[in-house]
Amino acid sequence: MLDLIQILECPEDLIPIFKFIKFGIYPIIQIGIPILLILFGCIDLGKAVMSSDDKEIKGATSKLLKRAVAAVAVFFVATIVSLLMNMLSTSGADENKNITNTTRWQDCWTNLTD
């Protein structure tokens, strides 16, 4: 069983999982989902415009606006989580302001390559 020290030292067993998250899941969440949200909103708006119904156009416009806001929020979620994790990692500093093992996970994450 891995203990906390092993996880903070970036064990070789977890590197493939970290790579999959960083280079597989992370780009899909940060780039793919916002693009899909805006694309689906544009499709809905296009259908409403083709139907020439003012009420339907107004509804599709508000839906597109909500999806655009959601897309921006999804795009920045990863950045916000990263900032929070950086703040939490520095809370493990000792009295001399020397950073302890709590930032090694961050070094492991930033040093990953394809």
Side-chain angles (χ1 to χ4, degrees):
M1 185 168 113
L2 293 174
D3 62 357
L4 186 59
I5 299 300
Q6 288 176 326
I7 292 172
L8 294 174
E9 291 178 355
C10 193
E12 295 293 322
D13 296 342
L14 293 179
I15 290 178
I17 296 170
F18 289 160
K19 282 185 178 182
F20 177 70
I21 292 170
K22 185 173 184 178
F23 300 112
I25 295 173
Y26 182 78
I28 291 171
I29 291 172
Q30 192 172 23
I31 305 297
I33 291 175
I35 288 173
L36 286 175
L37 285 170
I38 293 172
L39 181 66
F40 289 142
C42 290
I43 290 171
D44 288 343
L45 185 61
K47 288 179 184 177
V49 168
M50 295 294 264
S51 71
S52 301
D53 184 15
D54 289 337
K55 185 177 180 181
E56 197 172 322
I57 292 171
K58 187 174 182 179
T61 303
S62 69
K63 188 185 268 190
L64 176 61
L65 181 62
K66 289 176 187 176
R67 285 183 176 175
V69 169
V72 170
V74 167
F75 183 79
F76 285 114
V77 161
T79 304
I80 293 168
V81 168
S82 179
L83 288 173
L84 288 174
M85 293 302 286
N86 288 338
M87 290 184 343
L88 291 174
S89 70
T90 57
S91 68
D94 63 11
E95 294 153 0
N96 297 328
K97 302 295 183 203
N98 293 329
I99 305 300
T100 60
N101 287 340
T102 55
T103 58
R104 290 191 183 167
W105 71 269
Q106 187 179 11
D107 294 336
C108 179
W109 181 263
T110 56
N111 292 330
L112 288 176
T113 57
D114 269 336

